């Protein structure tokens, strides 16, 4: 038999080996693919994390610059993150949610956070944001934190009601309250008895110029019964409120002649709080009335009161301020003394019927009485007296006369319509009301032709212009008075006057810059093509009027720069030529860097333009924060840091060695350039820096430093 052959032939073996190699190569390749995919996923995840961090940096930076608009872009979760809230609290303006923080929907860990509370309190507008006594919640754990309480007290002293007992003993807390321009009512009652019993501390409180004296009510009873302390307090209370410091004294001191005498000399109204015996003391009552005549009302009936009233000069002094019963008594004593009667008319309690009959029949006296009573007695006069021109004119001269009384006087005494003096008084006192046009319409032509009178009338009510004679309507002074009085002046003067006097339109726009919405509709349409009118409009903060301005205005550099100065957000309305002009953009950026938002991309990516914009205003960086801008802004940041590093090396190596050579050498340096004084040395330093291309000049260096800092705040 023949031997059987091998199971596999040699060809079969080689085929098997090549297959194994192929499998092995496939495994290696698949492993590498898998490894690459894992690395790609790792770097994708890493990229997402870094992009998220960068996005957060940008949001934080934008919040610090403009919280209201940026806050709206945050997610609900972000609005409850501490970092975002702290950044928003650094912004000049707050979003509504942070303005009403206490009533907002913030979680407790945010509302109770110490850093957030301190950031809120340190803001200048903090006191306005806390609208009521209970609107500020201080967590219990912070009520014994002196630093927190001191900061809060500066802006919101009502918090002392809730601080710990330990801090209520602290003089620093009390002094922080005293540093405010005005003290809150009843604040002293919340401090400890020990502080309220300290004489020096209490004098410091009482000497506060606003509301300090009222704190006397909360001084300890021991101090309020201490004569020496009280006499020192009297001097403190001299210029405060009503000066009635005696109301806080103990009953013993209210009966002390020396104490009461000192008090009434500082403020006569202290007589009200003196003991009954001293309110009948002639010296006390006289001194009180000398200081404040109205205090005589607190003199008790008796021989002292009668004796003082029988003194003519004393009676004249106090009669305008005392109760009606005392006035009547004085009029009985001095019924023929015109000076006393005239002084009595100054008293608001006095009615015409209490004046002696023989005075009520004298027209000169009646006119004088109407004037001294500010017109209050005019209605009580008989009709024949009211109709008298002299009496009616006296009423018109009273500044406090009501419109109803003035109109009643016109109806009763028509002569007033023809009186220049009466009409001028009415214009000055009641010109803002609705009655002036009606009164002038009833007046004769001679009154309405009085230029000075009509100027005053138009300043009060521009609609009076319609009642001017034709000759006055075109008078420049009348027109200027209309401008001063109303933003609608252009409506009354008409288009033809405006076309002849474009400077009048300019003046109207400039005068009423806060009411441009009213001015716009009254400007003659053709005048928007006037460059001076357009410049005045833009300079007053008006929008770019694309439908009204000629097309060539969009290429006028001066007008566009005026727009940028007042209303940068309308820069996109300017011509494409200006947006692509690097030299002009550099000028515009120096006015307001935020216009970088609307310039051509090529110009925005120009390093000189970016440097000028970012150094001028950090807010311009928000327009370089898009995903497509990232590569440019990173390379720009790298360039800035490299330039600053070159400058630092230059300063450390070259400039420092030059300075050292000058300062250490006792003799002249072999380098003659170092021997010519500091000014020349500084010039050589700048020349060297300029030659080797290093930053030089204080302005340029400061610009690069500012850009570097702004970039860092945006996470770059």
């Amino acid at each position: 038999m023949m031997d059987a052959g091998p199971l596999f032939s040699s060809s079969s073996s080689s085929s098997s080996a090549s297959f194994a190699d192929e499998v092995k190569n496939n495994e290696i390749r698949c492993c590498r693919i898998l490894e690459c995919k894992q690395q790609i996923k790792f770097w994708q995840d890493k990229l997402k994390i870094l992009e998220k961090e960068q996005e957060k940096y940008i949001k934080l930076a934008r919040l610090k610059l403009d919280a209201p608009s940026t806050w709206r872009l945050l997610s609900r979760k972000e609005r409850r993150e501490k970092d975002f809230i702290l950044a928003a609290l650094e912004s000049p303006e707050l979003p509504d949610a942070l303005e009403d923080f206490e009533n907002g929907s913030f979680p407790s860990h945010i509302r109770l956070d110490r850093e957030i509370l301190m950031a809120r309190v340190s803001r200048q507008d903090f006191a306005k944001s806390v609208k009521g006594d209970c609107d500020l919640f201080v967590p219990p754990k912070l009520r014994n934190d002196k630093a927190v309480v001191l900061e809060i007290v500066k802006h919101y002293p009502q918090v002392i009601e809730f601080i710990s007992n330990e801090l209520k003993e602290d003089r620093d807390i009390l002094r922080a309250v005293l540093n405010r321009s005005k003290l809150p009512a009843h604040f002293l009652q919340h401090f400890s008895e020990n502080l309220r019993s300290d004489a020096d501390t209490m004098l410091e409180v009482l000497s506060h110029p606003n509301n300090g004296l009222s704190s006397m009510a909360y001084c300890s009873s021991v101090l309020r019964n201490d004569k020496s302390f009280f006499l020192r307090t009297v001097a403190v209370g001299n210029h405060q409120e009503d000066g009635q410091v005696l109301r806080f004294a103990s009953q013993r001191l209210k009966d002390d002649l020396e104490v009461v005498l000192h008090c009434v000399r500082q403020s006569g109204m202290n007589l009200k709080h003196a003991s009954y015996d001293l309110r009948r003391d002639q010296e006390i009552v006289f001194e009180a009335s000398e200081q404040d005549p109205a205090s005589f009302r607190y003199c008790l009936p008796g021989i002292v009161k009668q004796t003082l009233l029988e003194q003519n000069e004393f009676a004249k002094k106090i009669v305008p301020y005392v109760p009606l019963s005392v006035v009547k008594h004085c009029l009985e004593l001095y019924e023929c003394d015109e000076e006393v009667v005239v002084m009595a008319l100054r008293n608001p309690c006095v009615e015409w019927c209490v004046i002696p009959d023989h005075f009520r029949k004298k027209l000169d006296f009646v006119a004088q009485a109407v004037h001294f009573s500010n017109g209050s007695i005019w209605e009580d006069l008989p009709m024949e007296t009211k109709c008298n021109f002299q009496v009616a004119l006296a009423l018109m001269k009273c500044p406090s006369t009501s419109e109803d009384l003035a109109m009643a006087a016109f109806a009763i005494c028509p002569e007033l319509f023809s009186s220049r003096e009466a009409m001028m008084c009415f214009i000055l006192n009641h010109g803002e009301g609705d009655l002036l046009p009606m009164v002038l319409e009833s007046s004769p032509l001679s009154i309405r032709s009085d230029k000075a009178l009509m100027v005053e009338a138009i300043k009060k009510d521009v609609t009076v212009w319609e009642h001017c004679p034709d000759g006055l309507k075109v008078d420049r002074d009348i027109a200027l008075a209309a401008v001063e009085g109303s933003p609608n002046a252009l409506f009354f003067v008409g288009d033809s006057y405006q076309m002849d006097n474009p400077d009048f339109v300019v003046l109207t726009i400039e005068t009423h810059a806060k009411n441009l919405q009213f001015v716009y509709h009254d400007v003659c349409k053709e005048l928007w093509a006037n460059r001076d009118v357009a410049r005045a409009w833009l300079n007053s903060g008006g929008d770019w009027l694309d439908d009204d301005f000629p097309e060539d205005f969009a290429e006028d550099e001066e007008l566009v720069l005026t727009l940028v100065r007042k209303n940068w957000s309308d820069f996109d309305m300017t011509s494409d030529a200006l947006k692509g002009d690097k030299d002009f953009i550099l000028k515009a950026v120096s006015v307001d860097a935020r216009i970088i938002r609307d310039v051509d991309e090529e110009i925005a990516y120009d390093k000189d333009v970016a440097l000028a914009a970012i150094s001028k205003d950090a807010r311009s960086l928000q327009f370089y924060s898009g995903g497509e801008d990232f590569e440019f802004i990173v390379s720009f940041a790298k360039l800035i840091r490299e330039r600053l590093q070159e400058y630092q090396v230059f300063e450390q190596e070259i400039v420092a060695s030059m300075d050292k050579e000058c300062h250490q050498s006792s003799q002249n340096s072999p380098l003659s350039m170092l021997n010519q004084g500091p000014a020349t040395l500084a010039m050589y330093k700048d020349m060297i820096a300029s030659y080797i291309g290093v930053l030089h000049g204080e302005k340029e260096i400061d610009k690069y430093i500012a850009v570097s800092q702004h970039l860092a705040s945006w996470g770059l």
Side-chain angles (χ1 to χ4, degrees):
M1 293 181 60
M2 293 179 62
D3 292 336
L7 186 60
F8 297 103
S9 65
S10 58
S11 61
S12 175
S13 297
S14 61
S15 174
S16 176
S18 63
F19 176 76
D21 291 341
E22 184 178 357
V23 169
K24 186 174 182 179
N25 289 335
N26 288 344
E27 287 178 352
I28 292 172
R29 185 171 60 256
C30 289
C31 287
R32 288 177 177 173
I33 291 173
L34 183 60
E35 183 180 347
C36 287
K37 286 188 174 184
Q38 289 173 344
Q39 289 183 4
I40 290 171
K41 185 178 184 305
F42 170 80
W43 288 112
Q44 285 177 336
D45 293 342
K46 184 72 172 177
L47 178 61
K48 288 180 181 179
I49 293 172
L50 292 173
E51 286 180 337
K52 193 172 182 180
E53 289 178 0
Q54 182 64 18
E55 183 183 357
K56 181 177 180 179
Y57 260 108
I58 292 173
K59 288 180 179 178
L60 290 173
R62 293 184 67 177
L63 277 171
K64 293 175 183 178
L65 297 171
D66 183 10
S69 59
T70 309
W71 188 265
R72 292 193 292 268
L73 304 177
L74 300 181
S75 66
R76 180 180 175 84
K77 180 181 178 182
E78 287 172 333
R79 292 178 185 178
R80 282 156 179 75
E81 288 187 24
K82 179 177 175 178
D83 290 342
F84 287 106
I85 294 173
L86 287 174
L89 288 170
E90 293 185 37
S91 173
E93 296 182 34
L94 290 178
D96 293 340
L98 292 181
E99 283 188 348
D100 194 15
F101 188 86
E102 299 296 339
N103 298 321
S105 56
F106 293 102
S108 58
H109 74 277
I110 292 295
R111 295 179 64 244
L112 304 181
D113 187 86
R114 184 181 189 276
E115 285 185 70
I116 291 177
L117 178 62
M118 290 291 281
R120 290 178 58 214
V121 170
S122 61
R123 290 182 58 85
Q124 293 296 322
D125 58 358
F126 170 72
K128 295 180 182 178
S129 66
V130 182
K131 302 179 180 64
D133 290 348
C134 301
D135 277 358
L136 176 65
F137 175 72
V138 181
K141 66 179 181 179
L142 298 180
R143 293 177 188 177
N144 196 38
D145 189 320
K146 184 174 178 178
V148 171
V149 173
L150 279 173
E151 191 63 37
I152 296 177
V153 162
K154 293 177 185 177
H155 310 280
Y156 188 71
Q158 292 90 332
V159 77
I160 57 178
E161 182 178 350
F162 308 106
I163 64 178
S164 67
N165 292 332
E166 180 181 341
L167 291 183
K168 288 179 180 179
E169 294 267 5
D170 196 304
R171 279 181 171 77
D172 293 336
I173 302 294
L174 177 59
R175 289 195 176 93
V177 179
L178 296 179
N179 286 335
R180 290 179 52 80
S181 59
K182 186 175 182 179
L183 299 179
H186 318 301
F187 83 98
L188 192 59
Q189 65 178 315
H190 302 297
F191 285 96
S192 68
E193 181 73 16
N194 289 337
L195 283 180
R196 291 187 283 119
S197 300
D198 186 287
D200 293 334
T201 302
M202 288 303 97
L203 281 173
E204 190 178 347
V205 173
L206 299 175
S207 64
H208 195 282
N210 288 305
N211 214 24
L213 192 60
S214 62
S215 301
M216 184 69 179
Y218 300 105
C219 289
S220 67
S221 56
V222 175
L223 288 181
R224 288 188 282 121
N225 194 38
D226 185 325
K227 182 175 178 178
S228 63
F229 172 78
F230 212 85
L231 289 175
R232 293 164 67 191
T233 303
V234 171
V236 170
N238 182 22
H239 302 293
Q240 297 191 34
E241 305 137 10
D242 56 8
Q244 296 182 43
V245 67
L246 192 59
R247 68 181 181 267
F248 304 117
S250 65
Q251 196 59 44
R252 180 179 72 86
L253 295 183
K254 289 179 180 179
D255 197 36
D256 186 295
L257 180 64
E258 182 184 2
V259 171
V260 175
L261 194 58
H262 274 78
C263 288
V264 297
R265 282 173 177 166
Q266 299 295 334
S267 174
M269 283 299 176
N270 278 307
L271 182 63
K272 175 182 179 181
H273 308 289
S275 66
Y276 283 1
D277 289 341
L278 294 182
R279 286 167 67 182
R280 292 188 179 93
D281 184 276
Q282 184 165 340
E283 183 184 11
I284 294 290
V285 175
F286 182 81
E287 291 289 346
S289 301
E290 282 291 303
Q291 200 284 324
D292 186 349
S295 66
F296 185 76
R297 67 180 62 218
Y298 300 114
C299 175
L300 297 181
I303 190 169
V304 169
K305 187 172 187 176
Q306 182 65 26
T307 301
L308 289 173
L309 288 177
E310 289 175 355
Q311 299 176 22
N312 183 274
E313 291 300 321
F314 184 85
K316 281 192 289 187
K317 179 180 289 187
I318 60 98
V319 77
Y321 309 102
V322 293
L324 184 60
S325 59
V326 180
V327 176
K328 288 180 177 180
H329 184 61
C330 289
L331 292 177
E332 290 173 4
L333 291 173
Y334 306 100
E335 62 177 350
C336 295
D337 191 319
E338 185 171 337
E339 289 186 29
V340 174
V341 177
V342 168
M343 294 301 291
L345 287 169
R346 295 177 181 268
N347 193 314
C349 301
V350 172
E351 298 178 356
W352 184 242
C353 60
V354 305
I355 303 299
D357 288 342
H358 58 279
F359 283 113
R360 285 188 279 168
K361 295 176 182 178
K362 297 168 61 176
L363 288 177
D364 289 344
F365 177 82
V366 174
Q368 189 179 11
V370 169
H371 175 72
F372 276 113
S373 66
N374 285 321
S376 62
I377 67 169
W378 188 79
E379 288 186 287
D380 299 329
L381 300 177
M383 183 58 70
E384 61 272 14
T385 306
K386 287 182 180 180
C387 293
N388 181 270
F389 174 76
Q390 183 182 1
V391 174
L393 181 60
L395 176 69
M396 300 300 292
K397 289 181 179 180
C398 297
S400 58
T401 301
S402 67
E403 282 188 353
D404 292 340
L405 278 183
M407 294 306 294
F410 275 119
I412 293 172
C413 183
E415 295 175 66
L416 294 174
F417 286 109
S418 303
S419 168
R420 185 184 188 281
E421 188 177 7
M423 292 297 294
M424 184 63 82
C425 289
F426 183 81
I427 290 168
L428 296 178
N429 296 333
H430 306 291
E432 283 85 2
D434 300 328
L435 301 175
L436 182 57
M438 182 175 66
V439 170
L440 282 172
E441 187 176 8
S442 303
S443 63
L445 182 62
S446 60
I447 291 293
R448 289 182 283 114
S449 299
D450 188 312
K451 178 178 172 179
L453 189 144
M454 293 305 292
V455 164
E456 292 299 327
I458 289 174
K459 286 180 182 178
K460 298 288 186 177
D461 187 345
V462 72
T463 61
V464 169
W465 184 84
E466 296 177 342
H467 301 294
C468 289
D470 292 340
L472 277 184
K473 283 184 177 179
V474 295
D475 185 271
R476 185 166 182 82
D477 292 334
I478 293 290
L480 292 177
V483 171
E484 183 179 337
S486 171
N488 300 118
L490 297 177
F491 172 79
F492 294 97
V493 300
D495 289 354
S496 60
Y497 185 89
Q498 293 182 43
M499 292 298 294
D500 294 337
N501 300 273
D503 60 320
F504 176 75
V505 179
V506 170
L507 180 62
T508 304
I509 292 171
E510 292 174 345
T511 303
H512 299 286
K514 294 182 179 180
N515 294 293
L516 292 180
Q517 68 274 25
F518 301 114
V519 177
Y520 170 76
H521 296 289
D522 297 329
V523 176
C524 177
K525 294 297 182 184
E526 288 77 9
L527 276 178
W528 289 122
N530 184 294
R531 194 170 178 276
D532 292 334
V533 172
R535 183 171 57 246
W537 174 265
L538 295 174
N539 200 42
S540 298
D543 296 334
W544 184 269
L545 304 177
D546 200 41
D547 294 335
D548 299 302
F549 289 161
E551 291 184 4
D552 60 320
F553 278 10
E555 298 180 357
D556 188 307
E557 291 192 11
E558 184 183 357
L559 289 180
V560 174
L561 288 176
T562 303
L563 170 71
V564 172
R565 188 176 297 108
K566 295 292 184 177
N567 196 358
W568 73 271
S569 59
D570 274 2
F571 184 75
D572 63 325
M573 307 296 290
T574 57
S575 68
D576 292 338
L578 286 184
K579 291 178 185 177
D581 185 332
K582 177 180 173 179
D583 292 336
F584 173 75
I585 294 300
L586 286 171
K587 294 178 187 176
V589 161
S590 68
V591 176
D592 194 318
R594 290 173 291 179
I595 60 99
I596 203 71
R597 180 191 70 179
D598 299 314
V599 305
D600 290 348
E601 184 177 294
E602 183 180 351
I603 297 294
Y605 283 179
D606 183 274
K607 290 181 172 57
D608 293 334
V609 172
L611 179 68
I614 299 171
S615 65
K616 172 72 175 177
D617 191 341
R619 290 175 294 182
S620 61
L621 267 168
Q622 63 186 301
F623 306 119
Y624 288 104
S625 59
E628 67 280 3
D629 302 315
F630 189 73
E631 185 176 348
F632 165 76
I633 202 66
V634 169
S635 63
F636 178 73
K638 183 179 179 182
L639 172 67
I640 296 296
R641 272 51 180 273
E642 287 176 350
R643 297 280 285 157
L644 284 172
Q645 189 174 6
E646 290 172 358
Y647 167 73
Q648 290 172 355
V649 172
F650 175 74
E651 282 284 307
Q652 293 168 0
E653 301 297 333
I654 300 177
V655 175
S657 63
M658 291 171 68
D659 290 338
K660 183 177 179 181
E661 176 73 20
C662 288
H663 293 141
Q664 291 184 354
S665 178
S666 57
Q667 302 177 350
N668 287 342
S669 171
L671 292 174
S672 60
M673 61 180 285
L674 302 180
N675 301 324
Q676 300 176 28
T680 306
L681 182 61
M683 182 189 70
Y684 280 126
K685 290 177 184 177
D686 280 349
M687 288 176 60
I688 295 171
S690 176
Y691 179 75
I692 63 177
V694 176
L695 296 178
H696 61 284
E698 186 176 347
K699 288 185 178 180
E700 184 180 17
I701 294 166
D702 288 345
K703 184 184 291 187
Y704 272 78
I705 292 173
V707 171
S708 180
Q709 291 172 344
H710 292 163
L711 288 167
S713 68
W714 285 68
L716 296 164

